[in-house]
Amino acid sequence: MAAQGSENIKFMGRWNHEKNRSCASAPSAYIQFNANAKSVSFDLEGDVRWRFDIDNKPVVYFTTSERTVKKLAAASDGENHSYRLIKVSESNPGEACLYSVSLAPKGVFGAKPKDSNRRVEFIGDSFTVGFGNEGSISDDESKVFEKTDGSKGYAFLLADGFKADFQVNAVSGRGLVRNYANIVPEWPLEKLYDLTEMGIAGEPNRENAWDFGKFHPQVIVVFVGINDFQGEPPYADKAQFKAAYARLLEKLRQQHPGVKFLLVSTKVWPNDDLTPTVQSIYDEEIAQGRKDVEFKVLKTENQGMLGHPNVYDHGQMANALRPILGRLGGWLSR
């Protein structure tokens, strides 16, 4: 079982469906449904910022902490409309849980939204999360939660623009093999990636392995390694990083036959080791005869919180990646 009303709900991202609730840790995970109603109520739990959309247009943002029922006005014009509740914040650590979706009296759910024939996955760190993108480099670190909006991140912008189903599997501060400042060294992204909810890694009595058969992307954007080579040394061993990167690509090819990859890099400080390292990984892939991979280096001003891309940067990143992603997915219109 899962959250009440889930038979009418489309879940986007990695969700852990338990006995009476559905939970997610990833940024930009969301639920979508159709309904004719005067109001919609969500039974929610978790320290989370949410965005509520009607017909794919943002209506209101709100925040939850302890379990609460949030009642929101619907379109209430007697017609069927599309509703979306987006988890715009990251849970690191933690999770967001949905217990039920209910409508005002006489409200009626419509048919469950159909799956898209376009599917993309984003694997990354805080740049992919949208960490601090609504803030500025001068903001206090304590404002990160309220200044992070995954729905304004490059990943969401790209997927939404292509009307694609998607997953954002990203965790701030994590590297592929070495985390920023060596925090929680036992949980680098290479290990976290196999979990449904990365934000509750290691929590006892929670079945948490992701079933890769639930979602088969046609394109995967891999933007990892910033934390492996940035911050205080020692940095990741390049040979170890390259080996882990190759393992990840091979695993994804096995799980998703025919998938294509967009490898992404950017400048990191102080040594700018990431781009030449990913470039060498790409070159080796090409030398092996792979035709399913492309490579792009992004340039950002990083005027968001703690030197991260801001909303403007994320728009520019999406613009830079859009034609490549569209070409890999075969989604460009003529």
Side-chain angles (χ1 to χ4, degrees):
M1 293 182 64
Q4 293 180 27
S6 61
E7 63 273 9
N8 303 105
I9 297 171
K10 178 176 180 177
F11 288 85
M12 188 59 58
R14 291 186 180 183
W15 287 83
N16 189 17
H17 300 294
E18 299 181 335
K19 183 178 179 180
N20 65 340
R21 63 181 188 171
S22 298
C23 303
S25 290
S28 298
Y30 69 76
I31 63 167
Q32 186 175 17
F33 56 93
N34 298 309
N36 178 349
K38 292 185 177 180
S39 66
V40 181
S41 295
F42 301 97
D43 187 351
L44 301 165
E45 186 176 26
D47 294 320
V48 182
R49 287 187 72 221
W50 304 92
R51 184 183 115 183
F52 178 62
D53 290 2
I54 300 179
D55 296 329
N56 292 326
K57 295 180 180 179
V59 174
V60 65
Y61 283 82
F62 65 93
T63 301
T64 58
S65 54
E66 297 180 353
R67 185 173 175 179
T68 185
V69 176
K70 183 70 174 180
K71 183 178 180 179
L72 298 167
S76 68
D77 58 1
E79 302 292 334
N80 218 43
H81 290 270
S82 173
Y83 296 92
R84 185 164 63 172
L85 183 66
I86 308 166
K87 179 182 178 291
V88 300
S89 60
E90 178 182 20
S91 299
N92 180 23
E95 62 184 342
C97 293
L98 170 72
Y99 288 85
S100 68
V101 179
S102 56
L103 307 178
K106 298 184 180 180
V108 178
F109 282 104
K112 181 179 179 179
K114 295 181 179 179
D115 292 337
S116 173
N117 61 0
R118 300 174 175 183
R119 299 176 303 280
V120 58
E121 178 181 0
F122 301 86
I123 303 175
D125 49 40
S126 55
F127 275 45
T128 302
V129 166
F131 180 100
N133 57 354
E134 288 194 308
S136 73
I137 200 166
S138 62
D139 282 335
D140 185 86
E141 185 176 350
S142 64
K143 295 183 178 180
V144 165
F145 176 77
E146 62 193 81
K147 297 292 186 178
T148 294
D149 187 347
S151 70
K152 294 178 182 177
Y154 81 88
F156 190 98
L157 295 174
L158 282 170
D160 214 39
F162 279 116
K163 294 180 170 59
D165 289 345
F166 68 99
Q167 291 186 352
V168 178
N169 296 316
V171 187
S172 295
R174 306 303 172 94
L176 187 59
V177 297
R178 179 263 192 190
N179 297 332
Y180 185 84
N182 205 33
I183 59 171
V184 284
E186 69 275 20
W187 287 106
L189 190 59
E190 183 179 25
K191 187 176 178 182
L192 284 174
Y193 180 72
D194 289 337
L195 304 182
T196 302
E197 293 185 83
M198 301 182 191
I200 59 169
E203 186 170 319
N205 305 316
R206 295 292 298 277
E207 186 176 341
N208 204 14
W210 173 245
D211 177 1
F212 286 91
K214 290 183 176 180
F215 182 77
H216 290 293
Q218 296 153 315
V219 185
I220 301 177
V221 180
V222 183
F223 191 3
V224 300
I226 294 173
N227 295 303
D228 291 272
F229 299 109
Q230 191 160 273
E232 294 298 320
Y235 305 119
D237 178 83
K238 293 178 184 177
Q240 183 184 4
F241 178 84
K242 290 173 65 174
Y245 207 120
R247 286 195 300 271
L248 176 62
L249 296 181
E250 184 57 29
K251 174 195 292 186
L252 295 171
R253 287 187 175 110
Q254 291 178 2
Q255 296 290 351
H256 313 297
V259 71
K260 295 182 180 179
F261 298 99
L262 173 50
L263 312 185
V264 181
S265 181
T266 192
K267 182 180 179 63
V268 299
W269 285 265
N271 300 326
D272 200 18
D273 285 336
L274 180 60
T275 294
T277 305
V278 180
Q279 176 76 61
S280 68
I281 293 167
Y282 170 74
D283 291 343
E284 289 176 14
E285 292 284 313
I286 297 302
Q288 293 170 14
R290 300 288 191 183
K291 300 183 183 299
D292 59 359
V293 58
E294 292 203 29
F295 175 52
K296 178 67 176 178
V297 180
L298 295 176
K299 296 181 180 180
T300 57
E301 295 298 324
N302 298 336
Q303 293 301 304
M305 289 192 66
L306 298 176
H308 283 76
N310 60 14
V311 169
Y312 174 80
D313 275 329
H314 277 277
Q316 295 300 104
M317 291 158 65
N319 290 341
L321 296 179
R322 186 171 291 110
I324 309 173
L325 178 60
R327 184 170 64 251
L328 288 170
W331 305 333
L332 294 177
S333 58
R334 293 175 180 266

